[in-house]
Amino acid sequence: MHKSDLVELKYLSEAETGMNIWGLTAIVDTSITSNKSNSITGILFFDKGYFGQVLEGSRSAVEETWGRIKNDSRHRNIEMLGITEIEGRRFPKWSMKLFDTQEFTIVFPQFSGLMAKIDNPDAKTFQVLKSLWREV
């Protein structure tokens, strides 16, 4: 795959009201199956009612997946943070790996300072996650 063929897309969204473990499990199960068949890798963060996701793959596969996500009623206030060309995958082992705040901080300790801000009751969670996700 040439550099221009491989892209990374990052976005944030709010979960629909009432998102629970069963709904989250359904998203992850469907994503793993779809992503494997489309050679997409990445990570999905979910905590406090917010999603953050990084998708990696061919431009066409990532854009097609993005189109489905934008139209998925389980997401609200979706904001794409960027789509960029990359030379290699950062998450090649995961067709979709789900993280919550605690696990994310363990696997990516370099972001623990930003993650700690999410628990601050005065913090605007979406803005903190936006800062975090731009750095991931």
Side-chain angles (χ1 to χ4, degrees):
M1 197 174 281
H2 296 96
K3 178 183 175 195
S4 61
D5 295 335
L6 189 62
V7 298
E8 174 183 271
L9 183 145
K10 296 179 188 180
Y11 77 88
L12 288 173
S13 69
E14 289 182 67
E16 69 172 338
T17 304
M19 175 61 69
N20 60 30
I21 189 66
W22 306 116
L24 190 56
T25 300
I27 288 172
V28 172
D29 289 347
T30 301
S31 296
I32 288 172
T33 301
S34 177
N35 290 353
K36 279 184 180 178
S37 68
N38 290 298
S39 298
I40 291 177
T41 54
I43 60 173
L44 175 65
F45 169 86
F46 180 78
D47 210 340
K48 299 188 180 18
Y50 291 93
F51 290 105
Q53 189 166 24
V54 177
L55 298 169
E56 307 168 318
S58 71
R59 183 175 293 277
S60 61
V62 168
E63 288 178 351
E64 182 179 313
T65 300
W66 172 240
R68 285 193 307 274
I69 292 167
K70 287 190 308 185
N71 293 314
D72 188 329
S73 63
R74 296 172 292 191
H75 296 272
R76 298 185 324 221
N77 301 322
I78 298 172
E79 184 174 338
M80 184 200 293
L81 300 177
I83 185 167
T84 56
E85 294 178 355
I86 56 175
E87 292 186 29
R89 296 174 189 258
R90 292 190 294 154
F91 311 108
K93 295 180 183 177
W94 296 322
S95 56
M96 188 48 54
K97 171 68 174 150
L98 177 64
F99 290 96
D100 64 7
T101 301
Q102 182 178 10
E103 187 177 12
F104 191 87
T105 302
I106 291 167
V107 175
F108 303 103
Q110 67 270 34
F111 301 117
S112 60
L114 279 169
M115 295 306 286
K117 290 181 181 180
I118 292 173
D119 291 328
N120 179 342
D122 297 325
K124 303 220 182 297
T125 304
F126 193 79
Q127 293 306 318
V128 172
L129 286 172
K130 196 182 230 184
S131 295
L132 168 71
W133 227 239
R134 286 199 168 125
E135 292 187 37
V136 169

